């Protein structure tokens, strides 16, 4: 890719120009009202009625709500979106089923005494359908504890705990089959809609069976999502794609380093398991992990798979070949990922692709995650206008 370095917005230059835009907005609010013909910036960070607006020059920008560190629950997530100026999200569904009224598991397992029995619904990016372990860097290996130590075996349940567990599973199954349950989900979804926040992808499944996947897609439909997302693998593409197709939706697959050793034909083979399969392409992970085997740089990858890309995750990383610090998350503008060039290429060729912040660099002690997402959104806006 040519001139990657020169095409970046430096952190200092970006903040300086962003400050000028903010100053202009404060002095002349009418100039930044969304949809106003005199708006020289094409789009604003809020709509005319005060709701967030992160669509710039035809490109819908947003974030995966994983970016909001320490934020849980629909109300707090909505407020974080508002604070960040985000109008479209990939919504992490963990915890929302309990908010909708699902029973909670009374059986606590694990040696720390706080882990509910069974897999967690959803989780951080990288989770496979049903909360099975994925491949997120920095996490525990499958079947092992952090650092490669073997995982200690959990103590067996007592007869009383087994009875409680069985009753919980029966109650949860009944909750999911109750027609009134979707109304409870709809009440949560309405809060996002009323706040002006669109959910374009839902990242959660209740389990791996046909019945539970159908339930999960029904929930995603309530939120108006186009797809359910999970981590890319051959197994997930075989499982989730047909379920999405059966429910008239899409299945999107997020990547970490999976594609680094793969040929393009192998990635295509995964997608070909179902016409509903799509990519949730993480250009930062792809760039940082290296792409010598696929042989396509991030923009070439987007060009090749454009018809199959539903959304792109953005983060700034160092190159795989960086001799000082390889494949490391950086504050936007301080890494080597060609964020600006990729955004402009999407704007000029594929404006229908969602472009989402995935905040992964450490949040400074003096800031918080919504503020940092807001900074990244403004970075995207500068690149696109």
């Amino acid at each position: 890719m040519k001139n990657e370095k020169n095409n970046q917005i430096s952190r200092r230059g970006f903040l300086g120009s962003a400050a000028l835009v903010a100053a202009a907005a404060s002095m002349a609010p009418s100039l930044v009202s969304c949809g106003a013909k005199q708006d020289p910036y094409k789009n604003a960070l809020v709509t005319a009625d005060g709701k967030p607006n992160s669509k710039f020059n035809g490109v819908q920008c947003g974030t995966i709500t994983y970016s909001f560190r320490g934020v849980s629950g629909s109300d707090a997530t909505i407020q974080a979106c508002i604070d960040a100026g985000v109008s479209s999200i990939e919504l992490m569904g963990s915890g929302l089923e309990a908010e909708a009224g699902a029973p909670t598991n009374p059986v606590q397992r694990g040696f720390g005494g706080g882990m509910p029995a069974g897999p967690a619904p959803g989780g951080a990016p990288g989770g496979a359908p049903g909360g099975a372990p994925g491949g997120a860097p920095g996490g525990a290996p499958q079947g092992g504890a952090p650092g490669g130590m073997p995982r200690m075996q959990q103590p067996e349940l007592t007869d009383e705990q087994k009875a409680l567990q069985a009753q919980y599973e029966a109650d949860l199954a009944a909750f999911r089959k109750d027609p009134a349950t979707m109304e409870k989900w709809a009440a949560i979804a309405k809060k996002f809609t009323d706040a002006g926040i669109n959910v374009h992808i839902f990242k959660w499944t209740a389990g791996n069976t046909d019945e539970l996947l159908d339930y999960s897609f029904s929930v995603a439909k309530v939120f108006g999502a186009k797809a359910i997302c999970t981590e890319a693998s051959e197994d997930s593409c075989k499982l989730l794609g047909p379920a999405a197709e059966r429910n008239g939706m899409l299945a999107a697959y997020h990547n970490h380093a999976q594609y680094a050793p793969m040929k393009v034909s192998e990635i295509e083979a995964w997608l070909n398991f179902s016409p509903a399969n799509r990519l949730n392409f993480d250009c930062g992970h792809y760039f940082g992990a290296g792409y010598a085997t696929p042989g396509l740089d991030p923009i070439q990858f987007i060009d090749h798979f454009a018809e199959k890309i539903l959304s792109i995750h953005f983060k700034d990383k160092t190159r795989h070949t960086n001799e000082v610090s390889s494949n490391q998350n950086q504050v936007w503008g301080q890494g080597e990922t060609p964020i600006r060039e990729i955004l402009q290429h999407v704007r000029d060729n594929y404006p229908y692709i969602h472009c989402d912040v995935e905040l992964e660099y450490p949040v400074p002690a003096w800031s918080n995650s919504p503020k940092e997402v807001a900074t990244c959104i403004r970075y995207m806006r500068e690149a696109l206008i």
Side-chain angles (χ1 to χ4, degrees):
M1 185 180 303
K2 61 182 181 179
N3 297 327
E4 286 178 350
K5 216 167 195 179
N6 294 333
N7 278 318
Q8 297 303 295
I9 305 174
S10 72
R11 175 79 167 177
R12 180 178 299 172
F14 160 66
L15 291 175
S17 55
L20 289 174
V21 171
S26 65
M27 290 185 292
S30 62
L31 293 181
V32 293
S33 60
C34 179
K37 292 182 179 180
Q38 70 271 29
D39 183 357
Y41 302 116
K42 306 292 185 184
N43 293 91
L45 296 180
V46 295
T47 62
D49 58 357
K51 294 180 180 178
N53 174 32
S54 54
K55 189 171 187 177
F56 312 121
N57 254 350
V59 178
Q60 181 63 68
C61 298
T63 190
I64 176 172
T65 57
Y66 161 77
S67 298
F68 297 130
R69 306 286 191 273
V71 173
S72 62
S74 59
D75 292 336
T77 299
I78 289 168
Q79 188 58 54
C81 291
I82 293 170
D83 293 343
V86 167
S87 59
S88 191
I89 58 173
E90 178 181 329
L91 178 61
M92 302 290 288
S94 302
L96 291 182
E97 190 174 36
E99 188 174 327
T104 55
N105 193 340
V107 179
Q108 301 298 310
R109 301 194 69 179
F111 301 95
M115 292 296 294
Q142 291 191 28
M149 296 295 291
R151 187 180 298 280
M152 296 180 67
Q153 187 172 357
Q154 293 180 335
E156 285 195 24
L157 296 177
T158 65
D159 289 343
E160 181 183 4
Q161 287 174 321
K162 289 178 181 177
L164 288 171
Q165 178 74 22
Q167 185 60 54
Y168 159 73
E169 291 173 358
D171 291 345
L172 181 59
F175 169 83
R176 289 169 171 170
K177 292 176 181 178
D178 187 345
T181 293
M182 284 302 157
E183 296 178 11
K184 297 175 181 178
W185 277 109
I188 297 174
K190 185 176 184 297
K191 293 194 289 185
F192 286 88
T193 302
D194 290 349
I197 300 162
N198 173 60
V199 177
H200 56 271
I201 292 177
F202 195 64
K203 194 175 182 72
W204 178 83
T205 57
N208 292 342
T209 66
D210 285 350
E211 182 180 16
L212 290 178
L213 287 172
D214 288 347
Y215 167 75
S216 304
F217 277 102
S218 294
V219 171
K221 283 182 182 179
V222 166
F223 281 87
K226 300 175 182 178
I228 284 179
C229 177
T230 190
E231 186 71 3
S233 72
E234 182 175 357
D235 287 344
S236 62
C237 289
K238 287 179 178 178
L239 175 71
L240 199 62
E245 186 179 354
R246 185 169 66 243
N247 285 275
M249 292 184 67
L250 301 173
Y253 305 98
H254 175 262
N255 61 284
H256 283 86
Q258 294 96 314
Y259 302 150
M262 293 178 67
K263 297 177 182 178
V264 171
S265 59
E266 293 173 320
I267 301 172
E268 291 172 335
W270 283 7
L271 292 173
N272 288 339
F273 286 123
S274 170
N277 282 341
R278 295 293 186 273
L279 295 174
N280 180 342
F281 177 51
D282 193 312
C283 66
H285 280 315
Y286 181 80
F287 178 84
Y291 42 83
T293 301
L296 303 175
D297 68 30
I299 285 182
Q300 291 170 335
F301 187 99
I302 292 168
D303 284 339
H304 184 85
F305 288 103
E307 293 184 0
K308 293 290 186 177
I309 296 177
L310 177 60
S311 64
I312 300 175
H313 280 195
F314 285 83
K315 55 177 62 72
D316 204 351
K317 279 181 168 282
T318 56
R319 294 175 182 275
H320 175 68
T321 54
N322 188 297
E323 295 179 359
V324 177
S325 186
S326 170
N327 190 22
Q328 294 299 306
N329 293 309
Q330 302 293 322
V331 172
W332 286 31
Q334 294 182 2
E336 298 174 291
T337 309
I339 294 175
R340 182 171 181 262
E341 187 176 59
I342 294 171
L343 282 167
Q344 292 178 347
H345 190 71
V346 170
R347 177 198 64 194
D348 296 343
N349 298 278
Y350 316 108
Y352 54 85
I353 295 177
H354 290 267
C355 295
D356 293 330
V357 174
E358 185 178 335
L359 184 69
E360 295 223 285
Y361 63 81
V363 175
W366 47 264
S367 185
N368 59 40
S369 55
K371 286 182 180 179
E372 294 303 306
V373 171
T375 298
C376 296
I377 289 291
R378 284 179 167 83
Y379 190 109
M380 293 174 122
R381 180 174 184 263
E382 282 246 329
L384 291 167
I385 63 174

